[in-house]
Amino acid sequence: MDDYVLGAAVATDLVNTAPEVMVNTGDTLADPDALLAFLTAHDLRLDALDGGTVPLSPADVASVHALRRTLRDLLDAPDAGEAAARAGVLSAAAGTGPALRRDAEGRWRWEVGSRDGAGVGDELALLTATALLSVLRTLGFDRFRHCASPICTGMFVDTSRAGRRRYCVPEVCGNRINVANHRARRRAAGRL
């Protein structure tokens, strides 16, 4: 719970795997292999996978798709109170109450555990929901944003220090805007 950056990044990336966001490529979490690649890319080792010995199933993909819709609704909440309520419900359904535990260096850290028998979707729900609650508390509701690109429906959680992030996937959406602006400037310069 102290380090919300990973969970917020997973929430952002998960929401933006949806086919309505990735209109050119479609659903980027279409099958168990794609879900495994997503988990690996985020360096997530979930207890539900039992150290990698339990294969992912189509049911796991379906649960993560449901979580993706829930997270999008949470990020799109009308106000901070509603976002907090939605994140609270999500974390309570997936996990156990918070506890303080000492880490390897002896510092006190918040810890939230998943319920016995929790699946991949449940563990991702717990990770993302607790991170979003921490972002709300630490950075504020205005860090839940829609992508500034006029042709994108993506959303993101801005955990940057300055809080000035504008695009869900800066290297894609931001680059598109930069290229469009560059072309517009070149056209305007050619008309002078």
Side-chain angles (χ1 to χ4, degrees), residues 48-133:
L49 298 178
D50 196 23
T53 61
V54 176
L56 292 168
S57 69
D60 292 321
V61 174
S63 73
V64 171
H65 284 178
L67 172 62
R68 180 173 67 188
R69 287 185 297 277
T70 301
L71 287 171
R72 173 132 187 143
D73 289 344
L74 192 162
L75 294 179
D76 207 21
D79 57 53
E82 184 61 27
R86 291 175 186 182
V89 167
L90 187 58
S91 67
T96 61
L100 279 174
R101 305 250 193 272
R102 292 199 186 267
D103 65 13
E105 289 80 37
R107 295 178 306 231
W108 287 103
R109 305 284 293 189
W110 283 110
E111 184 178 286
V112 184
S114 56
R115 297 188 187 287
D116 289 338
V120 171
D122 296 322
E123 290 197 31
L124 284 174
L126 188 58
L127 170 69
T128 56
T130 55
L132 296 177
L133 286 167

Side-chain angles (χ1 to χ4, degrees), residues 7 22 26 32 40 45 48 58 69 83 86 91 98-99 113 119 121 125 146 149 160-161 167 171 192:
M22 296 308 218
T40 301
R45 292 175 191 84
R69 287 185 297 277
R86 291 175 186 182
S91 67
H146 288 270
S149 172
S160 69
R161 177 169 286 189
Y167 304 106
E171 58 275 9
L192 296 175

Side-chain angles (χ1 to χ4, degrees), residues 27-50:
D27 190 342
T28 59
L29 286 181
D31 57 41
D33 290 338
L35 178 55
L36 181 59
F38 178 88
L39 296 173
T40 301
H42 289 86
D43 199 28
L44 296 175
R45 292 175 191 84
L46 304 178
D47 291 339
L49 298 178
D50 196 23

Side-chain angles (χ1 to χ4, degrees), residues 164-181:
R164 294 187 182 127
R165 182 173 164 185
R166 297 182 56 216
Y167 304 106
C168 64
V169 184
E171 58 275 9
V172 175
C173 295
N175 190 46
R176 286 181 189 147
I177 296 298
N178 291 336
V179 168
N181 289 341

